[in-house]
Amino acid sequence: MSSIFTRIIKREIPAVIVYEDDLCISFRDIDPKAPQHILVVPKKEIKSMADVTEDDELILGHLLVKASEIAREQGISDSGYRIVINTNKEGGQTVGHVHLHLLGGRQMEWPPG
Ligand code: AMP
């Protein structure tokens, strides 16, 4: 069974897509936790950061580079933003397909909840 994010990649369910290339797709979170809340998702269906191997080095680096570019395009680069990768149950992960949250447009707190 494909993950919900793979279904977005295949255009089986809709999303507000902000960027896409051969390795990743980026779209707006359906339940935003900040004025800007964008997900950056590898097209390869890696379950979680706990499942990453050395083969994923290029993909993971790519996600970070694209998140930086998207933040610039969305106008939150100078003000600042947070990148989050929730991992497995105690990390708060709810979708079993690695994704990076790009959150911005408001002051972030530390430590996170
Ligand atoms: P996580 O809890 O870190 O696994 O993040 C999953 C994120 O995916 C949550 O912030 C959800 O709001 C978001 N999400 C779930 N379904 C969709 C969807 N169909 N389109 C966009 N975002 C989604």
Side-chain angles (χ1 to χ4, degrees):
M1 174 69 178
S2 296
S3 79
I4 193 160
F5 293 162
T6 295
R7 297 187 64 205
I8 288 173
I9 291 163
K10 291 179 174 172
R11 305 301 198 270
E12 290 172 3
I13 56 174
V16 180
I17 294 167
V18 298
Y19 179 78
E20 183 172 22
D21 63 25
D22 288 350
L23 292 179
C24 73
I25 189 165
S26 179
F27 49 88
R28 295 200 177 275
D29 196 290
I30 204 168
D31 181 19
K33 306 296 189 294
Q36 291 273 16
H37 188 172
I38 292 166
L39 303 177
V40 188
V41 181
K43 289 193 169 173
K44 178 180 176 185
E45 201 173 297
I46 306 165
K47 269 193 184 160
S48 83
M49 286 301 292
D51 298 283
V52 162
T53 71
E54 283 212 8
D55 290 348
D56 301 318
E57 192 171 333
L58 178 76
I59 293 173
L60 293 176
H62 188 74
L63 297 184
L64 285 170
V65 170
K66 291 304 157 187
S68 174
E69 289 177 7
I70 292 163
R72 227 173 284 137
E73 283 163 16
Q74 298 293 328
I76 55 172
S77 213
D78 289 344
S79 51
Y81 54 87
R82 183 169 291 172
I83 289 172
V84 173
I85 307 178
N86 296 326
T87 301
N88 285 343
K89 183 172 175 291
E90 290 195 5
Q93 184 176 6
T94 59
V95 174
H97 184 153
V98 163
H99 53 284
L100 179 160
H101 295 258
L102 173 63
L103 297 143
R106 68 167 169 82
Q107 181 62 52
M108 298 294 155
E109 305 298 331
W110 193 263

